[in-house]
Amino acid sequence: MMQGPLSRSVAGLCDALMPQVSGRTAGGLREVLRRLDTPLQLAVAGRIKSGKSTLVNALIGRRVAPTDVGECTRLVTRFQYGTVDRIEVVMKDGKRVTIPFAPDGGIPPDLGGTRNGDFGRAGLTAVSHLEAYLTSAMLTDVTVIDTPGLGSMDSASVSRTEALLGAAAQAGDGASGRASDGTDGPDGTDGPGGTGGTGGASELDRVSEFAVAGAEAIVYVFTQSVRSDDTKVLAAFTAATASRDAGPVNALAVLNKADTVLADSVDGSGGDSWRAAEILARSQAAVLRPRVADVLPMNGLLAETTETGAFTAADAEALRALAGIDPALFGAMVMAVDLFTSLPAPVDSPARVRLLQLLDLYGINAAVQILRDEPSVSAGELRRRLLARSGLEEFRRRLGEVFRLRADGIKASAALASIGALAASCGDPNERQRVHDGIEMLLQRPEAHQLRLLEALTLVSGGAVPMDEELTAEILRLGGSTRPDDQLGLPGRTSGELQTAALERAGWWRSFASFGATPGQSRVAHVVHRAYFLIWQELRGHQPAGPPGLAGRRGPER
Ligand SMILES: Nc1nc2c(ncn2[C@@H]2O[C@H](COP(=O)(O)OP(=O)(O)OP(=O)(O)O)[C@@H](O)[C@H]2O)c(=O)[nH]1
Ligand SMILES: [Mg+2]
């Protein structure tokens, strides 16, 4: 894995600090170094049965994550690039057992029918998580982590989870522990308030499992509507995984099962559930915005079916037969699952059940509409058109923009947060000072400015530094891209126009930093001012700083 320039700087900091710190901190730094060398770690999280595994399969392009009930779905599974397909069961004691894929090419839901004995006396409870290595090209620059679904968490259990977080993350992994304010006890075995009530222990378990996963970015999957505790869960889980708050820097949300949205309940949908899902997603983005970069509508099932090769010519033929029957009869069939399976039609019952599993009623209806309008459409073309309706392509595009283009910055700032947390939890004030000085020096470097900007974005969007909405949106835009025209909100303008705009905004933020801003706002404003200044320099074709003629021209973050 090629490290980006910012990750390399942070790795350099780790190397420099290593000989100057205690063994414990050095161990943590080694872990940070190891992580910097891996692709972006992207976790998919959300409630039970929200469609996380289905979405993971669609992304990877292969039906490999089990989407039924089974033991696996209770385990974190990390999908990463490998030159040979294989599955490793990682035990809590660190041992690894390689198991074969199921005949259908997926992870066996019961871990290969293996008797518990194969994993030692404790059986599946001794399993930490699964590592699946796949030759999928998509995984070369991102590791996708499928996580167990969250149960319905009442607000009491959510706050218990939050209370347990600091301890759990530290117990799970020293380097990923989010620095808490030091009020919790030294050992992570029992959080404040104990484990009274339902499920305390298992929540701790899940949270630490999650910490083991070491996620740096998160895709949060929900269905129909964001419940009040969804946002809390989102915050709690990203805190445990990414060593910092959920924010537009590292989180994206999906409104999944768009096909099941009740169109009539959404104004302006015109009775179309996809349109309804788009409207819902937009309004929910407004609510969730400080926590996520965006909310995207998605039909994960359709995406999985059309992207993994599950959809066959025989399925297309069954749909073609359905397109030929009386439209009124077909209309009745797609009103409910039991009508679809029972009404008379020239498609046998196993084929109908299969269509339901692959497409659900919405997808079946969509396919039949396509075939009615254009009977000559081939199976391949039908698959492509259904894929186009799944939302997957837009999701991939946004994933690219939000995470992949900024992977270097995201990884580097997650690593810096981990280093900061290591220092904060270290007893020696001199050592703490040394680490902080090191971080500060790194952040002073011009190429590290993107990290400052991401940090400012997290402060502002998380509410730690209040800013009015328009300014928040501006910082979001600035940190949300690496292209000057997007950053300035002036796509496609000439370099001259962009330079003028960058200078104008740089000037504005500088005076905001000096006049009428709180100390927090002032710090953020300085960062924003400098970001605009660096954009201006880049546009003018100058090096950001440093001796001229070295290493050629480079933008602040590419
Ligand atoms: N109609 C419809 N069904 C979907 C969609 N996405 C997933 N499903 C179905 O929802 C069920 C649950 O999907 P999973 O992917 O297993 O959900 P999960 O979130 O991984 O579940 P757990 O891991 O058990 O929490 C499966 O039957 C999927 O086929 C969708 O967009 N539309
Ligand atoms: Mg699952």
Side-chain angles (χ1 to χ4, degrees):
M1 174 70 196
M2 270 284 286
Q3 280 180 358
L6 296 172
S7 298
R8 275 203 301 278
S9 297
V10 177
L13 173 65
C14 290
D15 286 332
L17 285 172
M18 206 92 86
Q20 310 178 39
V21 294
S22 66
R24 177 187 169 278
T25 306
L29 291 174
R30 260 191 298 280
E31 176 61 15
V32 172
L33 274 172
R34 192 188 62 73
R35 291 225 172 127
L36 278 169
D37 238 356
T38 60
L40 184 72
Q41 307 287 301
L42 173 68
V44 179
R47 283 174 189 287
I48 281 180
K49 299 292 165 227
S50 54
K52 300 175 291 296
S53 302
T54 305
L55 186 61
V56 165
N57 289 336
L59 270 179
I60 299 176
R62 179 167 157 183
R63 283 208 62 168
V64 62
T67 52
D68 294 332
V69 281
E71 297 286 356
C72 282
T73 208
R74 303 264 59 83
L75 294 170
V76 166
T77 306
R78 297 162 38 86
F79 294 94
Q80 53 196 304
Y81 183 78
T83 47
V84 179
D85 288 356
R86 71 175 195 282
I87 309 166
E88 278 179 7
V89 182
V90 181
M91 314 302 292
K92 285 179 180 154
D93 66 9
K95 287 205 191 76
R96 288 168 183 252
V97 182
T98 301
I99 59 167
F101 285 88
D104 67 0
I107 292 177
D110 56 352
L111 298 187
T114 327
R115 284 183 310 281
N116 289 355
D118 292 42
F119 302 118
R121 259 181 205 296
L124 286 173
T125 57
V127 174
S128 160
H129 65 281
L130 303 180
E131 303 268 5
Y133 297 85
L134 301 171
T135 52
S136 162
M138 187 266 167
L139 294 173
T140 53
D141 55 0
V142 60
T143 291
V144 179
I145 305 163
D146 191 11
T147 71
L150 284 156
S152 67
M153 291 175 114
D154 54 283
S155 56
S157 60
V158 169
S159 54
R160 197 161 48 237
T161 307
E162 279 174 326
L164 289 168
L165 276 176
Q170 269 152 31
D173 179 303
S176 72
R178 184 175 135 76
S180 59
D181 51 17
T183 50
D184 47 359
D187 71 333
T189 49
D190 203 349
T195 50
T198 51
S202 72
E203 277 155 27
L204 172 61
D205 236 30
R206 277 188 216 158
V207 171
S208 47
E209 270 173 17
F210 223 75
V212 167
E216 293 155 334
I218 187 166
V219 168
Y220 189 70
V221 182
F222 63 89
T223 55
Q224 182 77 337
S225 67
V226 180
R227 296 159 46 144
S228 65
D229 54 339
D230 268 336
T231 54
K232 288 187 192 148
V233 169
L234 175 61
F237 264 67
T238 19
T241 59
S243 330
R244 57 204 169 100
D245 288 322
V249 170
N250 62 349
L252 192 61
V254 157
L255 170 54
N256 196 31
K257 305 198 182 183
D259 54 319
T260 66
V261 168
L262 296 171
D264 294 341
S265 66
V266 179
D267 279 347
S269 71
D272 176 53
S273 58
W274 182 262
R275 183 85 201 96
E278 281 179 329
I279 294 169
L280 274 183
R282 207 169 314 128
S283 69
Q284 285 164 355
V287 177
L288 285 170
R289 210 19 67 74
R291 293 260 168 235
V292 302
D294 211 344
V295 181
L296 301 172
M298 169 72 62
N299 183 335
L301 182 62
L302 207 54
E304 184 194 46
T305 294
T306 53
E307 195 61 356
T308 61
F311 186 75
T312 64
D315 298 321
E317 286 325 301
L319 289 162
R320 222 181 284 281
L322 290 174
I325 67 174
D326 171 20
L329 172 60
F330 179 76
M333 286 180 80
V334 289
M335 279 169 63
V337 166
D338 54 344
L339 292 175
F340 184 78
T341 46
S342 62
L343 287 175
V347 173
D348 66 21
S349 165
R352 291 193 211 185
V353 171
R354 184 177 150 84
L355 286 179
L356 277 174
Q357 281 168 350
L358 289 179
L359 301 168
D360 212 339
L361 291 173
Y362 177 90
I364 293 168
N365 194 31
V368 164
Q369 299 303 334
I370 293 169
L371 288 166
R372 275 211 201 114
D373 291 348
E374 227 178 302
S376 64
V377 161
S378 70
E381 177 59 21
L382 182 58
R383 183 193 68 80
R384 273 190 295 281
R385 296 218 191 154
L386 291 173
L387 171 63
R389 293 190 181 201
S390 69
L392 185 67
E393 282 157 348
E394 174 65 6
F395 177 59
R396 282 223 173 98
R397 197 180 65 76
R398 292 293 284 146
L399 266 187
E401 281 175 0
V402 176
F403 299 134
R404 264 199 247 187
L405 283 177
R406 296 191 295 163
D408 184 32
I410 293 173
K411 288 191 76 73
S413 38
L416 279 184
S418 294
I419 298 172
L422 274 173
S425 66
C426 132
D428 175 0
N430 289 328
E431 180 169 320
R432 204 174 314 168
Q433 194 57 45
R434 262 197 300 278
V435 175
H436 280 310
D437 289 350
I439 293 177
E440 205 43 45
M441 254 158 62
L442 184 143
L443 288 175
Q444 294 304 332
R445 304 226 289 264
E447 76 270 20
H449 195 76
Q450 196 205 357
L451 296 179
R452 281 210 177 277
L453 190 60
L454 292 181
E455 210 53 51
L457 193 53
T458 306
L459 287 174
V460 171
S461 60
V465 175
M467 281 276 180
D468 81 38
E469 231 170 83
E470 223 166 285
L471 297 180
T472 302
E474 184 178 345
I475 302 173
L476 202 72
R477 193 177 61 212
L478 192 60
S481 169
T482 52
R483 291 181 36 165
D485 57 343
D486 285 341
Q487 289 177 294
L488 289 162
L490 300 168
R493 297 292 180 83
T494 66
S495 172
E497 287 170 318
L498 296 176
Q499 285 177 41
T500 307
L503 265 195
E504 191 272 314
R505 292 316 293 156
W508 189 91
W509 281 93
R510 188 170 43 198
S511 41
F512 181 63
S514 322
F515 307 107
T518 65
Q521 289 177 334
S522 175
R523 272 197 307 279
V524 167
H526 276 298
V527 172
V528 176
H529 155 252
R530 185 148 170 77
Y532 278 120
F533 181 72
L534 289 169
I535 291 176
W536 174 73
Q537 272 192 327
E538 189 196 357
L539 286 166
R540 289 187 21 151
H542 282 188
Q543 265 188 257
L550 277 181
R553 191 183 79 79
R554 251 188 13 81
E557 78 284 83
R558 241 149 282 177

